[in-house]
Structures are given as C-alpha cells and as structure tokens.
Amino acid sequence: MTGVSLHWYVKDADNENVPRASASRWAVRILFHILQLGPILRYIDSLCYGLISRKYMKERDRKRQIEYYTYMLYEDGDSVFLRLFECFMEAAPQLVLQLYILSLVRKSEYGSDWFYLLCLGCFTSLVSLAWGVTAFARGSRFTSIEKTNISMLGSFVLMLWHLFSISARVTAMVLFASVFRPFLFIFCGVHWLIMVMWLMARRSLSVMCSSVLGEIGLSFVLGVIYIFVFINEKEEDTKKKYVFFYTIFGIENTIMVVVWLVYANTTVWYYIPGVVFHFMAFILALVTMGLYYGCFHPTLPSICSRRKPEMDCDAEEKGDAKEITSQTVM
C-alpha cells in the first residue's frame, strides 16, 4: 500500500496539471509513508484542497474553485483506493481467523468476556470490509466529472450487497478450514492465480498503469481482493464480468460447504446453521445486487441519483477539470 501511494506521488510530480510539491512537503510525505500513514496524509491533502476551493468560492473565482475541488476529489479517490487495499490485506484475513477461532470454542466458554469481544471484532471487521468496497465505489464516481454520484440510499443497498457477499464467502472459507485447514491456502492461491490471469488477459489495468511491471503488480494486489469480493476495475460492460466472477464464486463456495458437510463432525451446533447461513447470505447478495442495478444505480433516471452541484460550470472549466483527473492516474 505504501509503495502504491509513493508511486502515485512520483507520477503526479510529472503531471503539469497537479500543484508542485516543495522539498519540505516531499520530506513530510516520505516520513508519513515510512510510518505507514500514507492514507492519512492523503486525507490531509484532500482537506487542504477542499479548504482552498472553499476560499476561492467565497472570492467568486469559479475557475480556481473547480480546479481545487477536483484536486480534493482526486486525493479522496486515492484514499479510498488505499483503504480498499488495507481492508482486504488486513481486515479480511483477520476476519477469517477470528471466525475460525470461534468455530473452535467449547460450549462452556460461551458467554465469557473474550467470547463477546471476539464476536464484536468479527462484526466490525465484516462491516469494515463492506464499507471499504462501498466507499471505493462512491469515491470512483466522486472523482469523475461526467458520472453521477451514488445516493445515500443507493450506498446503503450497495453496502448490504457486499455485506451479504463477503459473509457468504467468509462463512464457506471458515467451514472448510475447520476440516481442511492447510488446504484453504491452496484453495485461495488457485483462485488468486485465476483472477490474476483473468485481469492480465483482459489488460484491465493497462489504462491505469504506465508500465507493464506496474500492471502486473497491481493485478497481483487486486487478485487478493478478488478472493473475497469483485470490484469493477475498468469502465466497460459489467454484466459478463459479474456473471463470470459470481459463477466461479458460487461454485467454489458450494464445493467448500459440501466438503464440510461430508467430513465435518455432525455434533457441532453450527453443522446445519452454518450451511443455511451461507446459502441465505449468497442468495441475498445476488438479490441486493439486482436491486441496486435495477433501482438505485446512478445511471438510472431516478430521484436516487445526485448530480455534482459544484460542477455546474461552463464547458471550458469542465474541460480543465476533466484534464486534471484524466492525467492523474496510475
């Protein structure tokens, strides 16, 4: 995550449409990244750009206001992307481990303080993952001049979709790990390899990356995220991609759950409830996905979509803002 963030800063230094950074500011950037605080620094940059944009708004300097508002959106977009990396390389493995530990708890230990704390940790990790994907989807639209923002109601439905999807995935993984713990790593490794090959075959990240090496590196990272959830990494028709991903997703989950049913100890209390919960969560994920795209997607002509009021500018200003966002990519 730190490497990606620094790469973006270095590339921005070659972009004429991005404000120049002084030597002292570069020193602060390097220090923050050494301390693993890259996302926080970008939130600070986003707030600073927002305050400058507000200052120009009060001065009625419309062009400058749009310019710094665009900088703010871009930094916010980078922040949610880094946050997404952090979620699925930290919170997701942690959630699987927490649930695995819960699956080993004896009945005599139910109701203890640490048991409730572990349950709370599982819940917060799950919500963090679902919100991380939702924030990424919202941020990617905030940073695009032409795209309509996702409404609050649409964000809620989007979060429910990913909450159910991740719940189903993690439940299947934990059930499988409780019987064949070492093989879970092999299972995840095969899925990761398939996703990386899929991304490379479609050249999905060629627009975002300036080199083949960067494209391969980002494909490796996104492959880890795709173990748990799908994110739309490229502007194109998503229907075929969702069908492909969720078909593999469903087949893998079903295999893990069936193996659990065959080889698990039938006396454990979650033998049937775990299976029922998995399939209910997966079905609800598909239902809420259909609900989101059918009723709440920003491209639909409904009251659920919100325009960017700050972007009501003339064609010249809009072109300047678009140029900034189009050139500040990976």
Side-chain angles (χ1 to χ4, degrees), residues 8 72-82 136 139-140 143:
W8 287 342
M72 180 193 72
L73 293 181
Y74 171 67
E75 289 296 340
D76 188 63
D78 284 351
S79 300
V80 296
F81 203 8
L82 295 175
F136 173 76
S140 64
T143 55

PDB file of all heavy atoms in Angstrom, residues 8 72-82 136 139-140 143:
ATOM      1  N   TRP A   8       2.170   6.841  -6.881  1.00  0.00           N
ATOM      2  CA  TRP A   8       1.238   7.873  -7.342  1.00  0.00           C
ATOM      3  C   TRP A   8       1.823   9.274  -7.158  1.00  0.00           C
ATOM      4  O   TRP A   8       1.685  10.131  -8.033  1.00  0.00           O
ATOM      5  CB  TRP A   8      -0.083   7.759  -6.592  1.00  0.00           C
ATOM      6  CG  TRP A   8      -0.911   6.579  -7.012  1.00  0.00           C
ATOM      7  CD1 TRP A   8      -0.783   5.845  -8.155  1.00  0.00           C
ATOM      8  CD2 TRP A   8      -1.992   5.992  -6.287  1.00  0.00           C
ATOM      9  NE1 TRP A   8      -1.711   4.837  -8.189  1.00  0.00           N
ATOM     10  CE2 TRP A   8      -2.466   4.906  -7.053  1.00  0.00           C
ATOM     11  CE3 TRP A   8      -2.587   6.257  -5.066  1.00  0.00           C
ATOM     12  CZ2 TRP A   8      -3.523   4.113  -6.641  1.00  0.00           C
ATOM     13  CZ3 TRP A   8      -3.641   5.469  -4.649  1.00  0.00           C
ATOM     14  CH2 TRP A   8      -4.109   4.408  -5.434  1.00  0.00           C
ATOM     15  N   MET A  72      -9.229  17.946  -4.707  1.00  0.00           N
ATOM     16  CA  MET A  72      -9.762  17.334  -3.492  1.00  0.00           C
ATOM     17  C   MET A  72     -10.393  15.978  -3.799  1.00  0.00           C
ATOM     18  O   MET A  72     -10.161  14.990  -3.087  1.00  0.00           O
ATOM     19  CB  MET A  72     -10.806  18.253  -2.857  1.00  0.00           C
ATOM     20  CG  MET A  72     -11.425  17.702  -1.574  1.00  0.00           C
ATOM     21  SD  MET A  72     -12.903  18.602  -1.059  1.00  0.00           S
ATOM     22  CE  MET A  72     -14.077  18.056  -2.323  1.00  0.00           C
ATOM     23  N   LEU A  73     -11.193  15.923  -4.860  1.00  0.00           N
ATOM     24  CA  LEU A  73     -11.842  14.670  -5.228  1.00  0.00           C
ATOM     25  C   LEU A  73     -10.817  13.605  -5.601  1.00  0.00           C
ATOM     26  O   LEU A  73     -10.966  12.427  -5.266  1.00  0.00           O
ATOM     27  CB  LEU A  73     -12.804  14.894  -6.405  1.00  0.00           C
ATOM     28  CG  LEU A  73     -14.028  15.763  -6.134  1.00  0.00           C
ATOM     29  CD1 LEU A  73     -14.880  15.867  -7.397  1.00  0.00           C
ATOM     30  CD2 LEU A  73     -14.853  15.199  -4.992  1.00  0.00           C
ATOM     31  N   TYR A  74      -9.770  14.021  -6.304  1.00  0.00           N
ATOM     32  CA  TYR A  74      -8.749  13.062  -6.718  1.00  0.00           C
ATOM     33  C   TYR A  74      -8.029  12.467  -5.509  1.00  0.00           C
ATOM     34  O   TYR A  74      -7.818  11.256  -5.426  1.00  0.00           O
ATOM     35  CB  TYR A  74      -7.751  13.741  -7.654  1.00  0.00           C
ATOM     36  CG  TYR A  74      -6.547  12.889  -7.945  1.00  0.00           C
ATOM     37  CD1 TYR A  74      -6.672  11.709  -8.676  1.00  0.00           C
ATOM     38  CD2 TYR A  74      -5.289  13.238  -7.465  1.00  0.00           C
ATOM     39  CE1 TYR A  74      -5.568  10.909  -8.921  1.00  0.00           C
ATOM     40  CE2 TYR A  74      -4.189  12.449  -7.714  1.00  0.00           C
ATOM     41  CZ  TYR A  74      -4.336  11.285  -8.443  1.00  0.00           C
ATOM     42  OH  TYR A  74      -3.254  10.494  -8.671  1.00  0.00           O
ATOM     43  N   GLU A  75      -7.657  13.320  -4.549  1.00  0.00           N
ATOM     44  CA  GLU A  75      -6.993  12.819  -3.348  1.00  0.00           C
ATOM     45  C   GLU A  75      -7.920  11.913  -2.541  1.00  0.00           C
ATOM     46  O   GLU A  75      -7.486  10.916  -1.972  1.00  0.00           O
ATOM     47  CB  GLU A  75      -6.518  13.984  -2.477  1.00  0.00           C
ATOM     48  CG  GLU A  75      -5.356  14.763  -3.053  1.00  0.00           C
ATOM     49  CD  GLU A  75      -4.090  13.922  -3.168  1.00  0.00           C
ATOM     50  OE1 GLU A  75      -3.980  12.895  -2.476  1.00  0.00           O
ATOM     51  OE2 GLU A  75      -3.197  14.293  -3.955  1.00  0.00           O
ATOM     52  N   ASP A  76      -9.191  12.266  -2.498  1.00  0.00           N
ATOM     53  CA  ASP A  76     -10.156  11.423  -1.794  1.00  0.00           C
ATOM     54  C   ASP A  76     -10.293  10.071  -2.483  1.00  0.00           C
ATOM     55  O   ASP A  76     -10.412   9.027  -1.826  1.00  0.00           O
ATOM     56  CB  ASP A  76     -11.514  12.128  -1.735  1.00  0.00           C
ATOM     57  CG  ASP A  76     -12.504  11.402  -0.844  1.00  0.00           C
ATOM     58  OD1 ASP A  76     -12.244  11.302   0.361  1.00  0.00           O
ATOM     59  OD2 ASP A  76     -13.532  10.932  -1.369  1.00  0.00           O
ATOM     60  N   GLY A  77     -10.255  10.088  -3.820  1.00  0.00           N
ATOM     61  CA  GLY A  77     -10.318   8.836  -4.572  1.00  0.00           C
ATOM     62  C   GLY A  77      -9.119   7.946  -4.307  1.00  0.00           C
ATOM     63  O   GLY A  77      -9.248   6.725  -4.146  1.00  0.00           O
ATOM     64  N   ASP A  78      -7.933   8.544  -4.224  1.00  0.00           N
ATOM     65  CA  ASP A  78      -6.728   7.774  -3.877  1.00  0.00           C
ATOM     66  C   ASP A  78      -6.841   7.185  -2.476  1.00  0.00           C
ATOM     67  O   ASP A  78      -6.417   6.047  -2.227  1.00  0.00           O
ATOM     68  CB  ASP A  78      -5.491   8.674  -3.954  1.00  0.00           C
ATOM     69  CG  ASP A  78      -5.063   8.930  -5.392  1.00  0.00           C
ATOM     70  OD1 ASP A  78      -5.617   8.276  -6.294  1.00  0.00           O
ATOM     71  OD2 ASP A  78      -4.182   9.776  -5.607  1.00  0.00           O
ATOM     72  N   SER A  79      -7.413   7.953  -1.558  1.00  0.00           N
ATOM     73  CA  SER A  79      -7.539   7.492  -0.174  1.00  0.00           C
ATOM     74  C   SER A  79      -8.416   6.260  -0.068  1.00  0.00           C
ATOM     75  O   SER A  79      -8.073   5.298   0.627  1.00  0.00           O
ATOM     76  CB  SER A  79      -8.108   8.616   0.702  1.00  0.00           C
ATOM     77  OG  SER A  79      -7.273   9.750   0.693  1.00  0.00           O
ATOM     78  N   VAL A  80      -9.563   6.268  -0.769  1.00  0.00           N
ATOM     79  CA  VAL A  80     -10.465   5.113  -0.668  1.00  0.00           C
ATOM     80  C   VAL A  80      -9.863   3.901  -1.376  1.00  0.00           C
ATOM     81  O   VAL A  80     -10.127   2.756  -0.986  1.00  0.00           O
ATOM     82  CB  VAL A  80     -11.867   5.441  -1.237  1.00  0.00           C
ATOM     83  CG1 VAL A  80     -12.531   6.520  -0.427  1.00  0.00           C
ATOM     84  CG2 VAL A  80     -11.819   5.820  -2.710  1.00  0.00           C
ATOM     85  N   PHE A  81      -9.043   4.129  -2.414  1.00  0.00           N
ATOM     86  CA  PHE A  81      -8.376   3.012  -3.084  1.00  0.00           C
ATOM     87  C   PHE A  81      -7.370   2.357  -2.140  1.00  0.00           C
ATOM     88  O   PHE A  81      -7.302   1.130  -2.033  1.00  0.00           O
ATOM     89  CB  PHE A  81      -7.682   3.522  -4.344  1.00  0.00           C
ATOM     90  CG  PHE A  81      -7.441   2.450  -5.382  1.00  0.00           C
ATOM     91  CD1 PHE A  81      -7.973   1.180  -5.244  1.00  0.00           C
ATOM     92  CD2 PHE A  81      -6.690   2.724  -6.516  1.00  0.00           C
ATOM     93  CE1 PHE A  81      -7.763   0.193  -6.196  1.00  0.00           C
ATOM     94  CE2 PHE A  81      -6.465   1.748  -7.478  1.00  0.00           C
ATOM     95  CZ  PHE A  81      -7.003   0.470  -7.311  1.00  0.00           C
ATOM     96  N   LEU A  82      -6.582   3.183  -1.438  1.00  0.00           N
ATOM     97  CA  LEU A  82      -5.630   2.654  -0.469  1.00  0.00           C
ATOM     98  C   LEU A  82      -6.354   1.979   0.702  1.00  0.00           C
ATOM     99  O   LEU A  82      -5.897   0.972   1.236  1.00  0.00           O
ATOM    100  CB  LEU A  82      -4.732   3.780   0.050  1.00  0.00           C
ATOM    101  CG  LEU A  82      -3.798   4.428  -0.978  1.00  0.00           C
ATOM    102  CD1 LEU A  82      -3.067   5.610  -0.360  1.00  0.00           C
ATOM    103  CD2 LEU A  82      -2.807   3.421  -1.529  1.00  0.00           C
ATOM    104  N   PHE A 136     -15.125   2.763  -1.954  1.00  0.00           N
ATOM    105  CA  PHE A 136     -14.370   2.770  -3.215  1.00  0.00           C
ATOM    106  C   PHE A 136     -15.296   3.079  -4.389  1.00  0.00           C
ATOM    107  O   PHE A 136     -14.943   3.870  -5.278  1.00  0.00           O
ATOM    108  CB  PHE A 136     -13.695   1.424  -3.418  1.00  0.00           C
ATOM    109  CG  PHE A 136     -13.039   1.272  -4.764  1.00  0.00           C
ATOM    110  CD1 PHE A 136     -11.838   1.900  -5.029  1.00  0.00           C
ATOM    111  CD2 PHE A 136     -13.635   0.515  -5.756  1.00  0.00           C
ATOM    112  CE1 PHE A 136     -11.229   1.775  -6.276  1.00  0.00           C
ATOM    113  CE2 PHE A 136     -13.034   0.380  -6.998  1.00  0.00           C
ATOM    114  CZ  PHE A 136     -11.831   1.013  -7.260  1.00  0.00           C
ATOM    115  N   GLY A 139     -16.234   6.722  -4.146  1.00  0.00           N
ATOM    116  CA  GLY A 139     -15.102   7.578  -4.458  1.00  0.00           C
ATOM    117  C   GLY A 139     -14.761   7.614  -5.933  1.00  0.00           C
ATOM    118  O   GLY A 139     -14.393   8.658  -6.474  1.00  0.00           O
ATOM    119  N   SER A 140     -14.893   6.466  -6.607  1.00  0.00           N
ATOM    120  CA  SER A 140     -14.592   6.420  -8.037  1.00  0.00           C
ATOM    121  C   SER A 140     -15.564   7.276  -8.837  1.00  0.00           C
ATOM    122  O   SER A 140     -15.213   7.776  -9.917  1.00  0.00           O
ATOM    123  CB  SER A 140     -14.633   4.972  -8.533  1.00  0.00           C
ATOM    124  OG  SER A 140     -15.934   4.432  -8.410  1.00  0.00           O
ATOM    125  N   THR A 143     -14.762  11.214  -8.176  1.00  0.00           N
ATOM    126  CA  THR A 143     -13.592  11.728  -8.887  1.00  0.00           C
ATOM    127  C   THR A 143     -13.811  11.847 -10.389  1.00  0.00           C
ATOM    128  O   THR A 143     -12.922  12.314 -11.092  1.00  0.00           O
ATOM    129  CB  THR A 143     -12.375  10.817  -8.642  1.00  0.00           C
ATOM    130  OG1 THR A 143     -12.699   9.480  -9.009  1.00  0.00           O
ATOM    131  CG2 THR A 143     -11.965  10.853  -7.192  1.00  0.00           C
TER     132      THR A 143
END
